[in-house]
């Protein structure tokens, strides 16, 4: 089982409009809603890849009730995703291990301009979490770690949660001997990386804010020196750069694509985690992560990925190994 932690879950709403015009009224052409927050997006993709997952974090209020109802009946893909060897794993179950809070779960709204494919994102801050609710989450998390093969800590912190929360969760995972991936930003990332997670996955902007450098290789190496065992940096349309104890690689999609980038980073996390659990080599983990993230950009719905595009892209992802030491 792979555990994902989403402290700031969300009900993701995606609105499609024929053309987004500032200061104008718009008629929505299509709309979808689904459980969201980075870790829930990761779990959805992991399930489609055939990996059993459990999700924890916080959910509350009327929005949280809708989120959990959708989560209970959620099938991550209408058809199972084909594995690279030609087998077709059925979507695996997603276990709801969320902690109920008094506050109302936030909503995120993605407005997709169907004429250009561009997306405008609006994110609410999330509910205020009390000390007792955080203590309950810690107990639930430690119980779940006993059956986990890997854990992903994903996304922003809701109000009321201390800035060192991810560092605390990283240390608990390391004590339990469970590989842990951290995907957050700002001060929670800075504190979390000092707790020595197995892997972090910042994007270019998050990496620059952490290290002060916008040169990808230099910044990624600097991030690793700060405590992470491995760093995989998302470089947007240029793919991903990995600096690991085993070497340095860059993975690039075969072509740049236009579309909705919402959830692309979460799909990459799912690719990296599933590859870790399956014992894939670093190049194969990166191929999967880049193919999944690119296929997510091509999907019109936030947090989903285009299965046919993924299968077509996977063997075409380019891998370059850097000969210099990590």
């Amino acid at each position: 089982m792979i555990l994902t932690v989403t402290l700031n879950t969300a009900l993701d709403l995606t609105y499609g409009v024929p053309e987004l015009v500032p200061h104008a009224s718009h008629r929505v052409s299509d709309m979808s809603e689904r459980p969201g927050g980075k870790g829930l997006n990761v779990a959805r993709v992991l399930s489609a890849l055939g990996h059993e997952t459990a999700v924890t974090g916080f959910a509350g209020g009327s929005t949280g009730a809708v989120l959990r109802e959708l989560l209970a009946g959620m099938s991550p893909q209408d058809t199972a995703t084909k594995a690279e060897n030609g087998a077709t794993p059925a979507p695996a179950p997603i276990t709801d291990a969320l902690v109920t809070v008094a506050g109302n779960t936030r909503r995120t709204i993605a407005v997709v301009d169907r004429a250009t494919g561009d997306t405008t994102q609006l994110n609410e801050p999330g509910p205020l979490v009390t000390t007792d609710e955080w203590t309950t989450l810690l107990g639930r998390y430690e119980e779940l770690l006993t059956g986990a093969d890997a854990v992903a800590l994903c996304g922003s912190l809701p109000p009321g949660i201390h800035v060192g929360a991810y560092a605390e969760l990283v240390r608990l995972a390391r004590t339990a001997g469970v590989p842990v991936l951290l995907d957050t930003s700002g001060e929670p990332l800075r504190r979390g990386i000092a707790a020595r997670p197995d892997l972090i996955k910042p994007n270019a902007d998050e990496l620059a804010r952490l290290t002060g450098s916008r040169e990808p290789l230099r910044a990624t190496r600097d991030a690793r020196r700060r405590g992470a065992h491995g760093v995989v940096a998302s470089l947007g349309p240029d793919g991903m750069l990995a600096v690991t104890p085993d070497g340095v690689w860059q993975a690039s999609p075969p072509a740049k694509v236009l579309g909705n980038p919402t959830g692309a980073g979460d799909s990459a996390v799912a690719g990296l985690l599933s590859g870790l659990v399956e014992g894939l080599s670093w190049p194969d983990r990166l191929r999967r992560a880049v193919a999944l993230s690119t296929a997510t950009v091509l999907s019109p719905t936030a947090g989903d990925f285009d299965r046919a595009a993924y299968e077509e892209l996977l063997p075409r992802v380019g891998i370059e190994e850097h000969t210099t030491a990590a």
Side-chain angles (χ1 to χ4, degrees):
M1 177 267 286
I2 299 176
L3 173 63
T4 72
V5 179
T6 313
L7 298 180
N8 210 6
T9 59
L11 181 63
D12 283 347
L13 307 176
T14 302
Y15 295 105
V17 297
E19 183 180 8
L20 184 61
V21 181
H23 316 298
S25 178
H26 297 78
R27 186 175 297 277
V28 175
S29 59
D30 54 274
M31 180 266 185
S32 68
E33 63 178 1
R34 62 176 57 202
K38 292 177 72 63
L40 269 68
N41 290 338
V42 171
R44 183 182 302 112
V45 177
L46 285 169
S47 174
L49 295 172
H51 286 275
E52 181 181 350
T53 63
V55 297
T56 194
F58 300 110
S62 58
T63 308
V66 173
L67 182 152
R68 298 183 85 159
E69 182 180 351
L70 292 170
L71 182 61
M74 186 173 63
S75 177
Q77 303 286 332
D78 295 331
T79 304
T81 301
K82 288 183 179 179
E84 291 83 345
N85 62 5
T88 306
I94 300 175
T95 299
D96 177 355
L98 296 168
V99 171
T100 301
V101 294
N104 202 37
T105 295
R106 67 187 178 128
R107 296 165 296 177
T108 68
I109 301 172
V111 182
V112 182
D113 185 330
R114 297 301 184 199
T116 64
D118 291 338
T119 301
T120 299
Q121 190 83 14
L122 304 173
N123 297 331
E124 295 179 353
L128 178 67
V129 177
T130 67
T131 300
D132 286 344
E133 290 165 344
W134 171 244
T135 300
T136 301
L137 183 282
L138 287 177
R140 180 76 53 83
Y141 176 70
E142 289 190 90
E143 291 174 2
L144 291 164
L145 284 175
T146 61
D149 298 311
V151 58
L153 310 175
C154 304
S156 61
L157 300 179
I161 297 297
H162 66 95
V163 73
Y166 279 133
E168 186 173 357
L169 296 179
V170 168
R171 285 192 290 268
L172 288 171
R174 289 184 57 77
T175 298
V178 179
V180 55
L181 183 153
L182 177 61
D183 184 17
T184 188
S185 61
E187 191 60 23
L189 174 59
R190 193 179 304 276
R191 300 282 187 93
I193 197 173
R196 301 187 63 78
D198 294 270
L199 187 64
I200 64 169
K201 194 214 66 64
N203 61 34
D205 289 338
E206 292 162 352
L207 193 61
R209 288 195 294 271
L210 176 68
T211 66
S213 174
R214 284 202 167 270
E215 199 288 308
L217 185 56
R218 179 183 304 163
T220 305
R221 283 178 167 149
D222 186 2
R224 184 166 180 255
R225 285 193 292 269
R226 291 168 185 255
H229 290 271
V231 179
V232 176
S234 293
L235 305 179
D238 294 323
M240 307 185 82
L241 176 65
V243 177
T244 80
D246 301 317
V248 179
W249 293 271
Q250 182 159 353
S252 305
K256 294 185 179 181
V257 297
L258 296 176
N260 179 5
T262 304
D266 305 328
S267 292
V269 169
L272 293 169
L273 271 183
S274 61
L276 167 67
V277 170
E278 294 172 29
L280 299 184
S281 67
W282 269 108
D284 285 341
R285 294 183 212 179
L286 292 170
R287 284 191 183 94
R288 180 180 290 181
V290 169
L292 282 169
S293 62
T294 305
T296 301
V297 173
L298 293 170
S299 173
T301 304
D304 203 350
F305 70 93
D306 185 308
R307 297 182 302 277
Y310 165 64
E311 294 163 7
E312 190 274 333
L313 285 164
L314 185 62
R316 299 173 56 217
V317 173
I319 297 289
E320 177 187 358
E321 182 173 6
H322 291 256
T323 56
T324 53

